[in-house]
Amino acid sequence: MWDPELAELKRRKELAERMGGAERVARQHATGRLTIRERLAALTDSWQEVGALTGRTSADGFTPSNVIIGRARVSGRRVVVAGDDFTVRGGAADAAIHDKQVLAERMAGEMRVPLVRLIDGTGGGGSVKQLEDHGRTYVPHNPGWDQVVANLGRIPVIALALGPVAGLGAARLVTSHVSIMVKGLSQVFIAGPAVVEAGMGESVGKEELGGWRTVSAAGTVDLVADSELEAFELVRRVMAYLPQSAWQPPPRTDPADDPGRTAPELREIVPRDRRRPYDMRAILNLVFDTGSVMELGRRFAPSVITALARLDGCPVAVLASDPHVYGGGMTAGGADKTARFVDLAETFHLPVVHLVDQPGFVIGTAAERAGTIRRGARALAAVYQSTIPWASVLVRRVFGVAGAAHRPHDRYGLRVAWPSGDWGSLPIEGGLEVAFKRMLAEAGPDAVTLKAEIAERLEAVRSPFRTAEAFLVEDIIDPASTRPALTDWIHDAYAVLTPGPHPTARP
């Protein structure tokens, strides 16, 4: 009875499958990029499209919408995926794009499942050529942005830049929990080179302006892949640490590592010379489940390390410092990185493990111009606003206001120190000259001898065991036993998790 309509339905779906047509698909492949439908096939286990018939019919035939959305499974988990089709109008927006993007955001948020955005184009208002077609201009707004923002507090959002991404597309990329781009294939910028040259008089190539070196160092993206297929694998890896939504706890896996495993190597990692750096990432790999550490944002603010990992199969958020960069000191960018990461942990109920070697805020004129203290205070606020379980391992230095951000001190958290612990308001090196400035000045030629005597007296009270005697640090442990201490704690931490959305989620 309905054979003509069913035939028309089949025809339109076949047209939609062709995207922008053979010529434009070939052009997409010539740039080294997959089409949106090839991306969906590579990323998902299964796929159910929503709105496949959306598009425009003209004398030239049917042109599908250049955003494809639908429900899918990735590594067996239910997700919503929204992807740009660059073969149709270069991914620039029209009314259908807005409606479909908004529906994808709402669908994921209200179904409480992760959202994956595959971004390839501007995703914005299109070209100024369209003004003649419309016969008017418009006051800018971002349709459905309330849903985009709301999703930061309710579901994991992972966004991928898979080509040149500008304007609203770039905003959609960074308004996420984890953003990913592909070396050489994708660029991310507010506006592309032509617009920059016209507006700013600056002639710059797209790689220099928005290539992976530029934007990963700026913190615009969290992960950089060598290929699209690697980017999709990063999506799967990130999702494995995060719950379906803020209403659920993180997904625990069967332990693949001995929770009681000790690591004698940890006793030798921290040098006695406090000025010498060491490999903090080696500590992470020895403490957490073997092969489970996944670092985010490595090239941005590199003195701060942020990573996802597991303890006895339980996902955790890891904070640490890299003593090879500013001695591990906190920069303005490092403060921003810390605050955003703590917000991620709070949103998705990831207990925090902080491996602390914090000499304090980086100082100097560049630090003051960057507003380090204001941004550092924001990081401290994020730590104190958090309600998730917290464990701090004081590996070496804990100094000043930045050092005070090693945990929220107003509530219980596991805190243990290594014998290498060294802490206070200021390090003796540098602090001594300030505290005893007048006395040293009055000592004249004996100042060097006096300084050495004062330093020797201060060293006598510098021992972490003196701090432990006063119960100002709870326990000092053998570094080799760090993993057993944390795997014992993690199960207590998971027992008190209280899933539910929190108001602190920010991009």
Side-chain angles (χ1 to χ4, degrees):
M1 181 183 299
W2 295 97
D3 289 349
E5 287 80 5
L6 291 173
E8 178 64 10
L9 174 62
K10 181 181 178 183
R11 186 184 74 85
R12 286 177 178 252
K13 285 192 172 183
E14 288 174 349
L15 289 171
E17 290 281 346
R18 297 176 190 174
M19 299 167 286
E23 181 181 342
R24 292 186 179 180
V25 166
R27 195 180 305 167
Q28 177 91 347
H29 287 158
T31 66
R33 286 141 62 201
L34 300 174
T35 66
I36 180 58
R37 296 196 178 276
E38 290 167 338
R39 289 165 177 164
L40 291 167
L43 172 65
T44 67
D45 309 333
S46 60
W47 169 254
Q48 183 179 356
E49 188 168 350
V50 174
L53 303 182
T54 309
R56 295 177 178 174
T57 299
S58 66
D60 297 327
F62 175 75
T63 301
S65 168
N66 52 1
V67 160
I68 295 177
I69 67 171
R71 297 179 291 274
R73 288 190 180 270
V74 173
S75 298
R77 291 175 57 176
R78 295 167 56 244
V79 302
V80 169
V81 182
D84 298 336
D85 183 359
F86 196 83
T87 70
V88 180
R89 295 188 298 282
D94 58 21
I97 260 198
H98 292 152
D99 292 344
K100 292 180 79 172
Q101 284 178 348
V102 173
L103 179 62
E105 299 285 338
R106 181 175 288 113
M107 180 165 51
E110 295 185 7
M111 289 173 56
R112 298 183 182 180
V113 299
L115 173 66
V116 180
R117 301 187 190 119
L118 306 178
I119 305 172
D120 189 359
T122 65
S127 167
V128 295
K129 290 180 179 178
Q130 292 178 312
L131 299 181
E132 284 189 312
D133 297 335
H134 296 157
R136 53 173 168 75
T137 60
Y138 64 97
V139 178
H141 72 291
N142 293 341
W145 209 251
D146 57 322
Q147 298 294 318
V148 172
V149 174
N151 279 341
L152 292 176
R154 57 191 186 185
I155 56 168
V157 179
I158 304 173
L160 290 75
L162 299 173
V165 174
L168 182 57
R172 290 173 58 229
L173 176 73
V174 300
T175 311
S176 63
H177 297 106
V178 178
S179 54
I180 303 170
M181 71 182 299
V182 182
K183 286 183 183 179
L185 199 70
S186 54
Q187 298 82 32
V188 182
F189 20 60
I190 301 167
V195 178
V196 168
E197 185 169 9
M200 304 297 293
E202 183 181 0
S203 179
V204 62
K206 64 179 183 179
E207 272 296 309
E208 183 183 356
L209 181 64
W212 70 272
R213 292 179 179 84
T214 300
V215 298
S216 62
T220 303
V221 295
D222 303 299
L223 295 167
V224 179
D226 288 325
S227 68
E228 291 195 54
L229 295 182
E230 183 183 328
F232 302 149
E233 181 56 30
L234 289 175
V235 172
R236 298 183 191 100
R237 287 187 61 195
V238 169
M239 282 182 53
Y241 295 94
L242 302 178
Q244 283 292 90
S245 74
W247 286 267
Q248 297 182 26
R252 298 163 71 171
T253 60
D254 292 334
D257 198 353
D258 179 6
R261 172 174 55 79
T262 59
E265 306 97 307
L266 292 175
R267 297 170 181 154
E268 309 298 327
I269 282 186
V270 179
R272 282 195 170 274
D273 182 351
R274 298 183 182 98
R275 294 182 179 273
R276 280 183 56 204
Y278 57 89
D279 188 352
M280 178 62 83
R281 291 178 178 86
I283 296 177
L284 268 59
N285 289 327
L286 288 167
V287 167
F288 297 100
D289 292 0
T290 300
S292 73
V293 178
M294 183 180 190
E295 189 169 349
L296 302 177
R298 181 163 182 166
R299 297 189 75 247
F300 171 57
S303 67
V304 172
I305 297 172
T306 53
L308 301 171
R310 291 187 186 86
L311 281 169
D312 202 26
C314 300
V316 294
V318 181
L319 276 170
S321 298
D322 185 351
H324 285 93
V325 184
Y326 294 123
M330 186 176 288
T331 61
D336 292 345
K337 184 177 181 178
T338 299
R340 180 171 178 252
F341 189 67
V342 171
D343 282 351
L344 170 70
E346 178 74 5
T347 300
F348 297 116
H349 321 295
L350 294 164
V352 173
V353 179
H354 192 176
L355 291 139
V356 186
D357 186 356
Q358 181 52 261
F361 290 121
V362 172
I363 58 177
T365 56
E368 301 302 345
R369 286 195 297 270
T372 301
I373 190 61
R374 178 177 291 280
R375 293 157 73 178
R378 166 65 188 87
L380 193 63
V383 171
Y384 273 80
Q385 286 175 339
S386 69
T387 62
I388 43 177
W390 202 284
S392 298
V393 179
L394 309 186
V395 174
R396 189 161 66 175
R397 295 161 299 183
V398 193
F399 284 101
V401 176
H406 73 269
R407 72 169 188 176
H409 292 264
D410 58 326
R411 57 189 177 86
Y412 171 75
L414 177 71
R415 182 171 64 175
V416 296
W418 286 7
S420 48
D422 183 29
W423 37 64
S425 58
L426 283 171
I428 290 177
E429 301 84 4
L432 186 155
E433 287 85 349
V434 175
F436 296 93
K437 181 179 180 180
R438 182 174 179 178
M439 185 182 296
L440 292 171
E442 292 173 350
D446 297 324
V448 174
T449 302
L450 177 60
K451 180 180 176 181
E453 292 173 353
I454 295 171
E456 186 176 357
R457 296 201 308 267
L458 293 176
E459 280 291 336
V461 299
R462 193 175 192 172
S463 166
F465 296 104
R466 292 286 190 95
T467 309
E469 287 174 4
F471 199 56
L472 295 174
V473 65
E474 292 81 355
D475 286 297
I476 298 176
I477 65 170
D478 178 350
S481 301
T482 303
R483 174 176 168 79
L486 290 173
T487 53
D488 181 65
W489 162 82
I490 192 60
H491 296 289
D492 291 335
Y494 264 71
V496 298
L497 291 181
T498 54
H502 295 287
T504 56
R506 284 172 284 267

